[in-house]
Structure formats: structure tokens, C-alpha cells
Amino acid sequence: MTGALPQSRFDDGYNDNLHHAWPVFQKHNVPFTIYAAPGLVEGAAVLWWEVVEKLVAKATFIKIPGGGPEWRCGTLIQKRAAFHALMRYFSYTLTELDQVPVLREMCAAEGMICGVSADRDVMNWKELRQIASDPLCTIGAHTVHHYNLRRLTAGMVSQEMRLSADMLEDKLGKRPLHFAYPYGSAKAAGKREAEIAAGEGFLSAVTTRHGTIHPEHRANLHALPRISINGRFQKLVYAQTMMSGVTTPIANAGRRVVQA
């Protein structure tokens, strides 16, 4: 929080943060944070969930290399089923290190580049430096490769956190003090990850667990909740209702504060 204004927080560093959100925040003098993953900036990592969507949209048949499962994608119903099955497969069957190599091979089979269109891509270093120059903007860390941290060893988690901060400091001239867990759900960030984030020197770390901030969160700064504004809740009345805190106990089994 800064003053009485809720702070907007964006994961991944999509370039629409620069072209669409930033002018609005400048107009209304609203602070915001962008959690950037250097691997996405430099191409070592890709927005794989968007590539999966693009792949399913193009293909009529998809097969996992090496004798893995396969799906027909000829109809809209089949495409929807294939997309959700692929999301589960990439999220929980493949290891974090295997996701991109497998996806690159699948894209090559369809004659596709394993990437997303420029208008859905992330900011480059020049653009990040541009937006970071605004006092309203805070740049936070978001790992290097956007891995699900609960699926990594403790040593790899520390490395992803520390190296992302190192790279952001090197490129932007300021070390990030705040962190966002990729994906951010309980399946992606728990007590171990919160303790590691604290040990790596971050002052706070945010999840995607639903909730508003309360005084009790002073003892839980490395597992902070957020109110997610996404495609399902675009109306202002929905956002106002969620920010009031009314929906937090409903989403969290009656608890106002969920510990890491």
C-alpha cells in the first residue's frame, strides 16, 4: 500500500503494462508494481500457456513427443478439451525443465515458432528501464524462468530467486526488494518458499491467493494475498465487492488471513 491507494501489481511484465496501464496510472497518480522474470525478457523462458493456446488453435491433431498422449483438435469442443488436458500435462506431468523443450518440438511439428505475437509479448530491457524510471513504478522479481517453485529443490528455488534479483539489478540499476511467486497458488508456493524468499532478503512476497491485506499480515509478509482482476470479473462492481473484503472469508474457509 502507498497512502490510501490500493497498489496494482502485474506479473510477467507484459508490454500492455507499458502501452495501456501505465498512462492510466500516470493520469491518476496511482503507484504500481511489475514483477519481471528475466528469462521471459531474454527468451530463455516463454509464455508457454499462451503458446499451448496458439498451438491448439492451429492444429487438428496434437501428440506429445516420444510416445506421449495425443488429442484430436478438429472441433471447438475437442480444442477446449485438448487445451485443458495440455495445461494439466504441462503443469503436473512434465518437469519444469522439460516444459519448453517439449513445447518447442511440438511447435516445430506444426511449423510454428515457439513464441507469442508481439502484442502479447513481454517488455524488453529498454522498455522495462523506461517504465521503471517512473517514481510510481516498482519493479519486483518473479524468478528467472517462471517455474512452479514447489516443484523445484530448495537450492533451485533459492537460485531462481537470487539470480532474478541479480539480473534485474544489473539491467535496471536497482535491486528488487519484493517478489511474486509464479502462478502463486498453494500448489506453487507454500511455507518453504516463503521462508526462502525471506532468507533471500525480499521484504515481501505475493501469492495469487484471494484476499485483502490486514494488520495481521505483518507477520505473514512473504505470503501476501491479492485480489485478481481477470476475464471473469471485469465489471467495476465486482472489483469493488472483492476489495471490500467480503469475499475473502468465503474463498478461504472463513479465515481472514491465510498463513503460508
Side-chain angles (χ1 to χ4, degrees), residues 4 37 48 85 119 129 160-161 195 198 200 235:
W48 65 261
D119 64 342
R129 281 191 288 270
E160 280 287 318
M161 291 183 178
E195 291 174 348
E200 289 297 334
K235 292 184 178 180

Side-chain angles (χ1 to χ4, degrees), residues 135-191:
L136 291 172
C137 179
T138 297
I139 300 295
H142 197 41
T143 73
V144 177
H145 297 97
H146 204 282
Y147 291 149
N148 179 329
L149 296 180
R150 290 199 76 163
R151 303 184 73 208
L152 303 180
T153 66
M156 293 176 69
V157 172
S158 294
Q159 183 178 20
E160 280 287 318
M161 291 183 178
R162 186 182 313 123
L163 186 56
S164 68
D166 289 344
M167 295 175 73
L168 289 168
E169 181 178 23
D170 178 62
K171 294 294 186 178
L172 304 180
K174 185 176 181 180
R175 192 169 188 82
L177 298 177
H178 307 279
F179 183 82
Y181 304 103
Y183 311 109
S185 69
K187 293 182 178 180
K191 183 178 180 180

